[in-house]
Coordinates of all heavy atoms in Angstrom, one line a residue:
M1 N 8.5 21.3 -11.4 CA 9.3 20.6 -12.4 C 8.4 20.4 -13.6 O 7.4 19.8 -13.5 CB 9.8 19.3 -11.8 CG 10.8 18.6 -12.7 SD 11.5 17.1 -11.9 CE 12.3 17.7 -10.5
N2 N 8.9 20.9 -14.7 CA 8.1 20.8 -16.0 C 8.3 19.4 -16.5 O 9.4 18.9 -16.8 CB 8.6 21.8 -17.0 CG 7.8 21.9 -18.2 OD1 7.2 20.9 -18.6 ND2 7.9 23.0 -18.9
D3 N 7.2 18.6 -16.8 CA 7.2 17.3 -17.2 C 8.0 17.1 -18.5 O 8.6 16.0 -18.8 CB 5.8 16.7 -17.4 CG 5.2 16.4 -16.0 OD1 5.9 16.5 -15.0 OD2 4.0 16.2 -16.0
S4 N 8.0 18.1 -19.4 CA 8.7 18.0 -20.7 C 10.2 18.1 -20.6 O 10.9 17.8 -21.5 CB 8.1 19.0 -21.7 OG 8.4 20.3 -21.2
N5 N 10.7 18.5 -19.4 CA 12.1 18.8 -19.2 C 12.8 17.8 -18.3 O 13.9 18.0 -17.9 CB 12.4 20.2 -18.7 CG 12.0 21.2 -19.7 OD1 12.0 21.0 -20.9 ND2 11.6 22.4 -19.2
I6 N 12.1 16.7 -18.0 CA 12.7 15.7 -17.0 C 13.2 14.5 -17.8 O 12.7 14.1 -18.8 CB 11.7 15.3 -15.9 CG1 10.5 14.6 -16.5 CG2 11.3 16.5 -15.1 CD1 9.5 14.0 -15.4
S7 N 14.2 13.9 -17.2 CA 14.8 12.7 -17.8 C 13.9 11.5 -17.6 O 13.0 11.5 -16.7 CB 16.2 12.4 -17.3 OG 16.1 12.0 -15.9
A8 N 14.2 10.4 -18.3 CA 13.4 9.2 -18.1 C 13.6 8.6 -16.7 O 12.7 8.1 -16.1 CB 13.8 8.1 -19.1
A9 N 14.9 8.7 -16.2 CA 15.2 8.2 -14.8 C 14.4 9.0 -13.8 O 13.8 8.5 -12.8 CB 16.6 8.3 -14.6
T10 N 14.3 10.4 -14.0 CA 13.6 11.2 -13.0 C 12.1 10.9 -13.1 O 11.5 10.7 -12.0 CB 13.8 12.7 -13.4 OG1 15.2 13.0 -13.2 CG2 12.9 13.6 -12.5
A11 N 11.6 10.7 -14.3 CA 10.2 10.3 -14.4 C 9.9 8.9 -13.8 O 8.9 8.8 -13.1 CB 9.8 10.2 -15.9
N12 N 10.9 8.0 -13.8 CA 10.7 6.7 -13.2 C 10.7 6.9 -11.7 O 9.9 6.2 -11.0 CB 11.8 5.8 -13.6 CG 11.6 5.2 -15.0 OD1 10.5 5.3 -15.5 ND2 12.6 4.6 -15.6
V13 N 11.6 7.7 -11.1 CA 11.6 7.9 -9.7 C 10.3 8.6 -9.2 O 9.6 8.1 -8.2 CB 12.8 8.8 -9.2 CG1 12.6 9.2 -7.8 CG2 14.1 8.1 -9.5
L14 N 9.8 9.5 -10.0 CA 8.5 10.1 -9.6 C 7.3 9.1 -9.7 O 6.4 9.1 -8.9 CB 8.2 11.3 -10.5 CG 9.2 12.5 -10.3 CD1 9.0 13.6 -11.4 CD2 9.1 13.1 -8.9
E15 N 7.4 8.3 -10.7 CA 6.4 7.2 -10.8 C 6.4 6.2 -9.7 O 5.4 5.8 -9.1 CB 6.5 6.5 -12.2 CG 5.4 5.5 -12.4 CD 4.0 6.0 -12.5 OE1 3.9 7.2 -12.9 OE2 3.0 5.3 -12.2
F16 N 7.7 5.9 -9.3 CA 7.9 5.0 -8.2 C 7.3 5.6 -6.9 O 6.7 5.0 -6.1 CB 9.4 4.7 -8.0 CG 9.7 3.7 -6.9 CD1 9.3 2.4 -6.9 CD2 10.4 4.2 -5.8 CE1 9.6 1.5 -5.9 CE2 10.7 3.3 -4.7 CZ 10.3 2.0 -4.8
R17 N 7.6 6.9 -6.7 CA 7.0 7.7 -5.6 C 5.5 7.5 -5.5 O 4.9 7.3 -4.5 CB 7.5 9.1 -5.6 CG 7.0 9.9 -4.5 CD 7.4 11.4 -4.6 NE 7.0 12.1 -3.5 CZ 6.8 13.5 -3.4 NH1 7.1 14.1 -4.5 NH2 6.5 14.1 -2.4
K18 N 4.9 7.7 -6.7 CA 3.4 7.6 -6.7 C 3.0 6.2 -6.4 O 1.9 6.0 -5.7 CB 2.9 8.0 -8.1 CG 3.0 9.4 -8.5 CD 2.5 9.6 -9.9 CE 2.8 11.0 -10.4 NZ 2.4 11.2 -11.8
L19 N 3.7 5.2 -6.9 CA 3.3 3.8 -6.6 C 3.4 3.5 -5.1 O 2.5 2.9 -4.5 CB 4.2 2.9 -7.3 CG 4.0 2.7 -8.8 CD1 5.1 1.8 -9.4 CD2 2.6 2.0 -9.0
V20 N 4.5 4.0 -4.5 CA 4.7 3.8 -3.0 C 3.6 4.5 -2.2 O 3.0 3.9 -1.3 CB 6.1 4.3 -2.6 CG1 6.2 4.3 -1.1 CG2 7.2 3.5 -3.2
I21 N 3.2 5.7 -2.6 CA 2.2 6.4 -1.9 C 0.9 5.7 -1.9 O 0.1 5.7 -1.0 CB 2.1 7.9 -2.4 CG1 3.3 8.7 -2.0 CG2 0.8 8.6 -1.9 CD1 3.4 10.0 -2.8
S22 N 0.6 5.0 -3.0 CA -0.7 4.4 -3.2 C -0.8 2.9 -2.9 O -1.8 2.3 -3.0 CB -1.1 4.6 -4.7 OG -0.3 3.8 -5.6
D23 N 0.4 2.3 -2.5 CA 0.4 0.8 -2.3 C 1.0 0.5 -1.0 O 2.2 0.6 -0.7 CB 1.2 0.2 -3.4 CG 1.3 -1.3 -3.4 OD1 1.2 -1.9 -2.3 OD2 1.5 -1.9 -4.4
E24 N 0.1 0.1 0.0 CA 0.5 -0.2 1.3 C 1.6 -1.3 1.4 O 2.5 -1.2 2.2 CB -0.6 -0.6 2.2 CG -0.3 -0.6 3.7 CD -1.5 -0.8 4.5 OE1 -2.7 -0.4 4.1 OE2 -1.4 -1.4 5.6
N25 N 1.5 -2.3 0.6 CA 2.5 -3.4 0.6 C 3.8 -2.9 0.1 O 4.9 -3.2 0.7 CB 2.1 -4.6 -0.4 CG 0.9 -5.3 0.2 OD1 0.7 -5.4 1.4 ND2 0.0 -5.8 -0.7
L26 N 3.9 -2.0 -0.9 CA 5.1 -1.4 -1.3 C 5.7 -0.5 -0.3 O 6.9 -0.4 0.0 CB 4.9 -0.7 -2.7 CG 6.1 -0.2 -3.4 CD1 7.1 -1.4 -3.6 CD2 5.7 0.4 -4.8
Q27 N 4.8 0.2 0.5 CA 5.2 1.1 1.6 C 6.0 0.2 2.6 O 7.0 0.7 3.1 CB 4.0 1.8 2.2 CG 3.5 2.9 1.4 CD 2.2 3.4 2.0 OE1 1.9 3.3 3.1 NE2 1.5 4.2 1.1
N28 N 5.4 -1.0 2.9 CA 6.1 -1.8 3.9 C 7.5 -2.2 3.4 O 8.4 -2.3 4.2 CB 5.2 -3.1 4.1 CG 4.0 -2.8 4.9 OD1 3.9 -1.8 5.7 ND2 2.9 -3.5 4.7
E29 N 7.6 -2.6 2.1 CA 8.9 -2.9 1.5 C 9.9 -1.8 1.6 O 11.0 -1.9 1.9 CB 8.7 -3.4 0.1 CG 8.0 -4.8 0.0 CD 8.7 -5.9 0.7 OE1 9.9 -6.0 0.6 OE2 8.0 -6.6 1.5
V30 N 9.4 -0.6 1.3 CA 10.3 0.6 1.3 C 10.7 0.9 2.7 O 11.8 1.2 3.0 CB 9.5 1.8 0.7 CG1 10.3 3.1 0.9 CG2 9.3 1.6 -0.8
S31 N 9.8 0.7 3.7 CA 10.1 1.0 5.1 C 11.3 0.1 5.5 O 12.1 0.5 6.3 CB 8.9 0.7 6.0 OG 7.9 1.6 5.7
K32 N 11.3 -1.2 5.0 CA 12.4 -2.1 5.4 C 13.8 -1.5 4.8 O 14.8 -1.8 5.4 CB 12.2 -3.4 4.8 CG 11.0 -4.2 5.4 CD 10.8 -5.5 4.7 CE 9.5 -6.1 5.2 NZ 9.1 -7.3 4.4
A33 N 13.7 -0.8 3.7 CA 14.9 -0.3 3.1 C 15.4 1.0 3.7 O 16.5 1.4 3.5 CB 14.7 -0.2 1.6
V34 N 14.5 1.8 4.2 CA 14.8 3.1 4.7 C 14.3 3.4 6.2 O 14.3 4.5 6.5 CB 14.3 4.2 3.8 CG1 14.9 4.1 2.4 CG2 12.8 4.1 3.7
G35 N 14.0 2.4 6.9 CA 13.6 2.6 8.3 C 14.7 2.5 9.3 O 15.7 2.0 9.0
N36 N 14.4 2.9 10.5 CA 15.3 2.7 11.6 C 16.7 3.2 11.4 O 17.7 2.6 11.7 CB 15.4 1.2 12.0 CG 14.1 0.7 12.5 OD1 13.3 1.4 13.2 ND2 13.7 -0.5 12.1
G37 N 16.7 4.4 10.7 CA 18.0 5.1 10.5 C 18.9 4.5 9.4 O 20.0 4.9 9.3
K38 N 18.3 3.6 8.6 CA 19.2 3.0 7.5 C 18.6 3.5 6.2 O 17.5 3.8 6.1 CB 19.2 1.5 7.5 CG 18.0 0.8 7.1 CD 18.2 -0.7 7.2 CE 16.9 -1.4 6.8 NZ 16.9 -2.8 6.8
W39 N 19.5 3.5 5.2 CA 19.1 4.0 3.9 C 19.8 3.0 2.9 O 21.0 3.0 2.8 CB 19.7 5.4 3.6 CG 19.8 5.9 2.3 CD1 20.9 6.1 1.5 CD2 18.7 6.3 1.4 NE1 20.6 6.5 0.3 CE2 19.3 6.7 0.2 CE3 17.3 6.4 1.6 CZ2 18.5 7.2 -0.9 CZ3 16.5 6.8 0.5 CH2 17.1 7.2 -0.7
D40 N 19.0 2.2 2.3 CA 19.5 1.2 1.3 C 19.0 1.4 -0.1 O 17.9 0.9 -0.5 CB 19.0 -0.2 1.8 CG 19.6 -1.4 1.0 OD1 20.3 -1.1 0.0 OD2 19.4 -2.5 1.3
P41 N 19.7 2.3 -0.8 CA 19.2 2.6 -2.2 C 19.2 1.4 -3.1 O 18.3 1.4 -4.0 CB 20.2 3.7 -2.6 CG 21.4 3.6 -1.8 CD 20.9 3.0 -0.5
E42 N 20.0 0.5 -2.9 CA 20.0 -0.7 -3.8 C 18.7 -1.5 -3.6 O 18.1 -2.0 -4.6 CB 21.2 -1.6 -3.5 CG 22.5 -1.0 -3.8 CD 22.6 -0.6 -5.3 OE1 22.2 -1.4 -6.2 OE2 23.1 0.5 -5.6
A43 N 18.1 -1.5 -2.4 CA 16.9 -2.2 -2.2 C 15.7 -1.4 -2.9 O 14.8 -2.0 -3.5 CB 16.6 -2.3 -0.7
L44 N 15.8 -0.1 -2.8 CA 14.8 0.7 -3.5 C 14.9 0.6 -5.0 O 13.9 0.5 -5.7 CB 15.0 2.2 -3.1 CG 14.7 2.5 -1.7 CD1 15.1 4.0 -1.4 CD2 13.4 2.1 -1.2
I45 N 16.2 0.5 -5.5 CA 16.3 0.3 -7.0 C 15.7 -1.1 -7.4 O 15.0 -1.1 -8.4 CB 17.8 0.4 -7.3 CG1 18.4 1.8 -7.2 CG2 18.1 -0.2 -8.7 CD1 19.9 1.9 -7.1
K46 N 15.9 -2.1 -6.6 CA 15.3 -3.4 -6.9 C 13.8 -3.4 -6.9 O 13.2 -4.0 -7.7 CB 15.9 -4.5 -5.9 CG 17.3 -4.8 -6.2 CD 17.9 -5.8 -5.2 CE 19.4 -6.1 -5.5 NZ 19.9 -7.1 -4.6
L47 N 13.3 -2.6 -5.9 CA 11.8 -2.5 -5.8 C 11.3 -1.8 -7.0 O 10.2 -2.1 -7.6 CB 11.4 -1.8 -4.5 CG 11.5 -2.5 -3.3 CD1 11.3 -1.6 -2.1 CD2 10.5 -3.7 -3.2
G48 N 12.0 -0.7 -7.5 CA 11.6 0.0 -8.7 C 11.7 -0.9 -9.9 O 10.7 -1.0 -10.7
E49 N 12.7 -1.7 -10.0 CA 12.9 -2.6 -11.2 C 11.8 -3.6 -11.1 O 11.2 -4.0 -12.2 CB 14.2 -3.3 -11.1 CG 15.4 -2.4 -11.5 CD 16.8 -2.9 -11.3 OE1 16.9 -4.0 -10.7 OE2 17.7 -2.3 -11.7
A50 N 11.4 -4.1 -9.9 CA 10.3 -5.1 -9.8 C 9.0 -4.5 -10.3 O 8.0 -5.3 -10.7 CB 10.2 -5.6 -8.4
N51 N 8.9 -3.2 -10.3 CA 7.7 -2.5 -10.8 C 7.9 -1.9 -12.2 O 7.1 -1.0 -12.6 CB 7.3 -1.5 -9.8 CG 6.7 -2.1 -8.5 OD1 5.5 -2.5 -8.6 ND2 7.5 -2.3 -7.5
G52 N 9.0 -2.4 -12.9 CA 9.2 -1.9 -14.2 C 9.8 -0.5 -14.4 O 9.7 0.1 -15.4
L53 N 10.4 0.0 -13.3 CA 11.0 1.3 -13.3 C 12.5 1.3 -13.0 O 12.9 0.7 -12.0 CB 10.3 2.2 -12.2 CG 8.8 2.3 -12.4 CD1 8.2 2.9 -11.2 CD2 8.5 3.2 -13.6
S54 N 13.3 1.9 -13.9 CA 14.7 1.9 -13.8 C 15.3 3.3 -13.4 O 14.9 4.3 -14.0 CB 15.3 1.5 -15.1 OG 16.7 1.5 -15.1
F55 N 16.1 3.2 -12.3 CA 16.7 4.5 -11.8 C 17.9 4.1 -11.0 O 18.1 3.0 -10.5 CB 15.8 5.4 -11.1 CG 15.0 4.7 -10.0 CD1 15.5 4.4 -8.8 CD2 13.6 4.3 -10.3 CE1 14.7 3.7 -7.8 CE2 12.9 3.6 -9.3 CZ 13.4 3.3 -8.1
T56 N 18.8 5.1 -10.7 CA 20.0 4.9 -9.9 C 19.8 5.5 -8.5 O 18.8 6.2 -8.3 CB 21.3 5.5 -10.6 OG1 21.1 6.9 -10.5 CG2 21.4 5.0 -12.0
S57 N 20.7 5.3 -7.6 CA 20.6 5.9 -6.3 C 20.8 7.4 -6.4 O 20.1 8.2 -5.7 CB 21.7 5.3 -5.3 OG 23.0 5.5 -5.8
D58 N 21.6 7.9 -7.3 CA 21.7 9.3 -7.6 C 20.5 9.9 -8.1 O 20.1 11.0 -7.7 CB 22.9 9.6 -8.6 CG 24.3 9.4 -8.0 OD1 24.4 9.4 -6.8 OD2 25.2 9.3 -8.8
D59 N 19.8 9.2 -9.0 CA 18.4 9.6 -9.5 C 17.5 9.8 -8.3 O 16.7 10.7 -8.2 CB 17.9 8.6 -10.4 CG 18.7 8.5 -11.7 OD1 19.4 9.4 -12.1 OD2 18.6 7.4 -12.3
L60 N 17.5 8.8 -7.4 CA 16.6 8.9 -6.2 C 16.9 10.1 -5.4 O 16.0 10.9 -5.1 CB 16.8 7.6 -5.3 CG 16.1 6.4 -5.7 CD1 16.7 5.2 -4.8 CD2 14.7 6.5 -5.5
V61 N 18.1 10.3 -5.0 CA 18.5 11.5 -4.2 C 18.2 12.8 -4.9 O 17.6 13.7 -4.3 CB 20.0 11.4 -3.7 CG1 20.4 12.6 -3.0 CG2 20.2 10.2 -2.8
D62 N 18.6 12.9 -6.2 CA 18.5 14.1 -6.9 C 17.0 14.5 -7.1 O 16.6 15.6 -7.0 CB 19.1 14.0 -8.3 CG 20.7 14.0 -8.1 OD1 21.2 14.3 -7.1 OD2 21.3 13.6 -9.2
T63 N 16.2 13.5 -7.3 CA 14.8 13.7 -7.6 C 13.9 13.9 -6.3 O 13.2 14.9 -6.2 CB 14.2 12.5 -8.4 OG1 14.9 12.4 -9.6 CG2 12.7 12.8 -8.8
L64 N 14.0 12.9 -5.4 CA 13.1 13.0 -4.2 C 13.5 14.1 -3.2 O 12.7 14.7 -2.6 CB 13.2 11.6 -3.5 CG 12.5 10.5 -4.3 CD1 12.6 9.2 -3.5 CD2 11.1 10.8 -4.7
F65 N 14.8 14.3 -3.1 CA 15.3 15.3 -2.1 C 15.6 16.6 -2.6 O 15.9 17.5 -1.8 CB 16.4 14.6 -1.3 CG 16.0 13.4 -0.6 CD1 16.4 12.2 -1.0 CD2 15.1 13.4 0.5 CE1 16.0 11.0 -0.4 CE2 14.7 12.3 1.1 CZ 15.1 11.1 0.7
A66 N 15.5 16.8 -3.9 CA 15.8 18.2 -4.5 C 14.5 18.9 -4.7 O 14.5 20.1 -5.0 CB 16.5 18.0 -5.8
E67 N 13.4 18.2 -4.7 CA 12.0 18.8 -5.0 C 11.6 19.6 -3.8 O 11.9 19.3 -2.7 CB 11.0 17.7 -5.2 CG 11.1 17.1 -6.6 CD 9.9 16.2 -6.9 OE1 8.9 16.3 -6.1 OE2 9.9 15.6 -7.9
D68 N 10.9 20.7 -4.1 CA 10.4 21.5 -3.0 C 8.9 21.2 -2.7 O 8.3 21.8 -1.9 CB 10.4 23.0 -3.5 CG 11.8 23.5 -3.6 OD1 12.7 23.1 -2.9 OD2 12.0 24.4 -4.5
D69 N 8.4 20.1 -3.3 CA 7.1 19.6 -3.0 C 7.0 19.2 -1.5 O 7.9 18.8 -0.8 CB 6.7 18.4 -3.8 CG 6.6 18.8 -5.3 OD1 6.5 20.0 -5.6 OD2 6.6 17.9 -6.1
E70 N 5.7 19.2 -1.0 CA 5.5 18.7 0.3 C 5.6 17.2 0.4 O 5.4 16.5 -0.6 CB 4.1 19.1 0.8 CG 3.9 20.6 1.0 CD 2.5 20.9 1.5 OE1 1.9 20.0 2.2 OE2 2.0 22.0 1.2
L71 N 6.1 16.7 1.5 CA 6.2 15.3 1.7 C 4.8 14.7 1.8 O 3.9 15.2 2.4 CB 7.0 14.9 2.9 CG 8.5 15.4 2.9 CD1 9.1 15.1 4.2 CD2 9.2 14.7 1.8
S72 N 4.7 13.4 1.3 CA 3.4 12.7 1.5 C 3.4 12.2 3.0 O 4.4 12.3 3.7 CB 3.4 11.5 0.6 OG 4.3 10.5 1.0
D73 N 2.2 11.8 3.4 CA 2.1 11.2 4.8 C 3.1 10.1 5.0 O 3.7 10.0 6.1 CB 0.6 10.8 5.0 CG -0.4 11.9 5.1 OD1 0.1 13.0 5.4 OD2 -1.6 11.6 4.9
F74 N 3.2 9.2 4.0 CA 4.1 8.1 4.2 C 5.6 8.6 4.3 O 6.3 8.1 5.1 CB 4.0 7.1 3.0 CG 5.0 6.0 3.0 CD1 5.0 5.1 4.0 CD2 6.0 5.9 2.1 CE1 5.9 4.0 4.1 CE2 7.0 4.9 2.2 CZ 6.9 4.0 3.2
E75 N 5.9 9.6 3.5 CA 7.3 10.1 3.5 C 7.5 10.8 4.9 O 8.6 10.7 5.4 CB 7.5 11.1 2.4 CG 7.6 10.4 1.0 CD 7.5 11.3 -0.2 OE1 6.7 12.3 -0.1 OE2 8.0 10.9 -1.2
L76 N 6.5 11.5 5.4 CA 6.6 12.1 6.8 C 6.9 11.0 7.8 O 7.7 11.2 8.7 CB 5.4 12.9 7.1 CG 5.3 14.2 6.4 CD1 3.9 14.8 6.6 CD2 6.4 15.2 6.7
E77 N 6.2 9.8 7.7 CA 6.4 8.7 8.6 C 7.8 8.2 8.5 O 8.4 7.9 9.5 CB 5.4 7.6 8.3 CG 4.0 7.9 8.7 CD 3.0 6.8 8.3 OE1 3.4 5.7 8.2 OE2 1.8 7.1 8.1
L78 N 8.4 8.1 7.3 CA 9.7 7.7 7.1 C 10.7 8.6 7.8 O 11.6 8.2 8.5 CB 10.1 7.6 5.6 CG 9.5 6.5 4.9 CD1 9.9 6.6 3.4 CD2 9.9 5.1 5.4
V79 N 10.5 9.9 7.7 CA 11.3 10.9 8.4 C 11.2 10.7 9.9 O 12.2 10.7 10.6 CB 11.0 12.3 7.9 CG1 11.7 13.3 8.8 CG2 11.3 12.5 6.4
A80 N 10.0 10.5 10.3 CA 9.7 10.4 11.8 C 10.4 9.1 12.3 O 10.7 9.0 13.4 CB 8.3 10.4 12.1
A81 N 10.5 8.1 11.4 CA 11.0 6.8 11.8 C 12.6 6.8 11.9 O 13.2 5.9 12.2 CB 10.5 5.7 10.9
G82 N 13.2 7.9 11.4 CA 14.6 8.0 11.6 C 15.4 8.1 10.3 O 16.6 8.0 10.3
V83 N 14.7 8.3 9.1 CA 15.4 8.4 7.9 C 16.0 9.9 7.9 O 15.3 10.8 7.9 CB 14.5 8.3 6.6 CG1 15.3 8.5 5.4 CG2 14.0 6.9 6.6
P84 N 17.3 10.0 8.0 CA 17.9 11.3 8.1 C 17.8 12.2 6.9 O 18.2 11.7 5.8 CB 19.4 11.0 8.5 CG 19.6 9.7 7.9 CD 18.3 8.9 7.9
V85 N 17.3 13.4 7.0 CA 17.2 14.3 5.9 C 17.8 15.6 6.4 O 17.3 16.1 7.4 CB 15.7 14.5 5.4 CG1 15.7 15.5 4.3 CG2 15.1 13.2 5.0
V86 N 18.7 16.1 5.7 CA 19.4 17.4 6.1 C 19.4 18.4 5.0 O 19.8 18.1 3.9 CB 20.9 17.1 6.5 CG1 21.5 18.4 6.9 CG2 20.9 16.1 7.6
C87 N 18.8 19.5 5.2 CA 18.7 20.6 4.2 C 18.2 20.1 2.8 O 18.7 20.4 1.8 CB 20.0 21.3 4.1 SG 20.6 22.1 5.5
G88 N 17.2 19.3 2.9 CA 16.6 18.8 1.6 C 17.4 17.7 1.0 O 17.0 17.2 -0.1
K89 N 18.4 17.2 1.5 CA 19.3 16.1 1.0 C 19.3 15.0 2.0 O 19.3 15.2 3.2 CB 20.7 16.6 0.7 CG 20.8 17.6 -0.4 CD 20.6 17.0 -1.7 CE 20.9 18.0 -2.8 NZ 20.5 17.6 -4.1
V90 N 19.3 13.8 1.5 CA 19.4 12.7 2.4 C 20.8 12.5 2.9 O 21.8 12.7 2.1 CB 18.9 11.4 1.8 CG1 19.7 10.9 0.7 CG2 18.7 10.3 2.8
T91 N 21.1 12.1 4.1 CA 22.4 11.8 4.6 C 22.5 10.3 4.6 O 21.7 9.6 5.3 CB 22.5 12.3 6.0 OG1 22.3 13.7 6.0 CG2 23.9 12.0 6.6
I92 N 23.4 9.8 3.8 CA 23.6 8.3 3.8 C 24.6 7.9 4.8 O 25.7 8.3 4.9 CB 24.0 7.9 2.3 CG1 23.0 8.4 1.3 CG2 24.3 6.4 2.3 CD1 23.4 8.2 -0.1
N93 N 24.0 7.0 5.7 CA 24.9 6.5 6.8 C 25.8 5.4 6.3 O 25.3 4.5 5.7 CB 24.1 6.0 8.0 CG 23.3 7.1 8.6 OD1 23.7 8.3 8.6 ND2 22.1 6.8 9.1
A94 N 27.0 5.5 6.5 CA 28.0 4.5 6.0 C 28.2 3.4 7.1 O 28.1 3.6 8.2 CB 29.3 5.1 5.6

């Protein structure tokens, strides 16, 4: 993904991803929002806002699950913990 062609929201999601990867406390908070088979995008949005980053649930899905990049160790743990991912897209349980 070329940095000059991404939206502000996409850039914010990518920055949030970097923060989560590097901050164990934030990882714990994210785990509460997406662990044990649940997916709470509103909680992730609030965590992003608390860190000065604004994005929507669509921004999250479109950015994080549309990329072909490898998953970080933390993201692999989330998948192993039961966050459903199907064909590169998250399945939101209702």
